[in-house]
Amino acid sequence: MLNVVDLEQLAALGHGAGALVVSDNTFATPVCQRPCDFGVDVVVHSATKYLGGHSDVLSGVVVVRESGAVLDGLHEWQRTAGAALAPFDCWLLRRSLATLALRVRAQCAGALKVAEFLAQHTGIERVLYPGLREHPGHAIAARQMSGGFGAMLSVCVAGGEAAALRVAGGTRLFTRATSLGGVESLIEHRASIEGPGTRAPGNLLRLSVGIEEPDDLIDDLAQALK
């Protein structure tokens, strides 16, 4: 649903209760948002996504804001439980980090252009993207996300679940798949992926915008929506 959380307020609430505050920053990446700057104690990334960026590595990253017991505990877990990446996986991530900023900035720009197009399309009921001024969390996102609004967006298709499935199946440039953050653009019907108990609306499609030419992505969505 791409709701936006006020990280500074959340950190204050958590610390006021004596809690450790953890943020999953996978969607935003360090290029767009740095939660530690807003008081978050621990930041996690699915590095399989944007940090890897090429859909060819499974990995995760934990970033700790300050040295101390939390970091020591993580180091101990890594030593005793073997929670460390294989050398080749490390090499793949190191290769990808060199282009992270370039990729993410291009993806953010493309996502905004796609979102603006879909927001005006009569076949779309609602676009969920914090880069749009009408998004209820836009002001918070603009304050926190200094590097862009990310490359993930969701849309609710007019005509219900059946129409959404037709659109997802009708794209040619978007790949129908459930991951995100790679150089290729993906589209998925989220309720089908999550299955029973999902809170995603039946007509919701989730888009991960890659590095393709935004106008080509827009043309693809336009023909699918027909």
Side-chain angles (χ1 to χ4, degrees), residues 67-89:
S67 59
V70 175
L71 183 59
D72 292 343
L74 287 169
H75 279 155
E76 181 64 22
W77 178 260
Q78 201 169 37
R79 283 192 297 268
T80 58
L85 287 179
F88 184 63
D89 294 329

Side-chain angles (χ1 to χ4, degrees), residues 9-143:
Q9 185 181 57
L10 187 71
L13 288 168
H15 294 155
L20 195 69
V21 178
V22 183
S23 170
D24 184 337
N25 203 44
T26 299
F27 276 25
T29 82
V31 177
C32 297
Q33 179 175 270
R34 300 186 179 187
C36 288
D37 292 346
F38 299 94
V40 172
D41 302 302
V42 179
V43 179
V44 297
H45 295 270
S46 172
T48 302
K49 311 303 192 298
Y50 291 98
L51 300 189
H54 295 81
S55 306
D56 58 6
V57 62
L58 295 175
S59 55
V61 173
V62 181
V63 181
V64 180
R65 182 162 58 98
E66 297 177 354
S67 59
V70 175
L71 183 59
D72 292 343
L74 287 169
H75 279 155
E76 181 64 22
W77 178 260
Q78 201 169 37
R79 283 192 297 268
T80 58
L85 287 179
F88 184 63
D89 294 329
C90 293
W91 182 86
L92 287 171
L93 277 177
R94 174 64 186 86
R95 165 215 61 180
S96 300
L97 287 173
T99 61
L100 175 64
L102 293 172
R103 286 186 284 106
V104 170
R105 286 169 186 152
Q107 288 167 293
C108 289
L112 179 59
K113 196 167 183 179
V114 168
E116 289 173 340
F117 162 75
L118 291 170
Q120 302 300 318
H121 198 286
T122 56
I124 298 295
E125 289 181 354
R126 184 182 178 197
V127 178
L128 305 170
Y129 182 67
L132 297 177
R133 293 188 180 277
E134 55 267 32
H135 189 285
H138 176 74
I140 297 173
R143 185 171 71 248

Side-chain angles (χ1 to χ4, degrees), residues 155-174:
V155 296
C156 293
V157 180
E161 183 170 341
L165 288 167
R166 284 196 298 271
V167 172
T171 58
R172 298 166 184 164
L173 186 55
F174 282 84

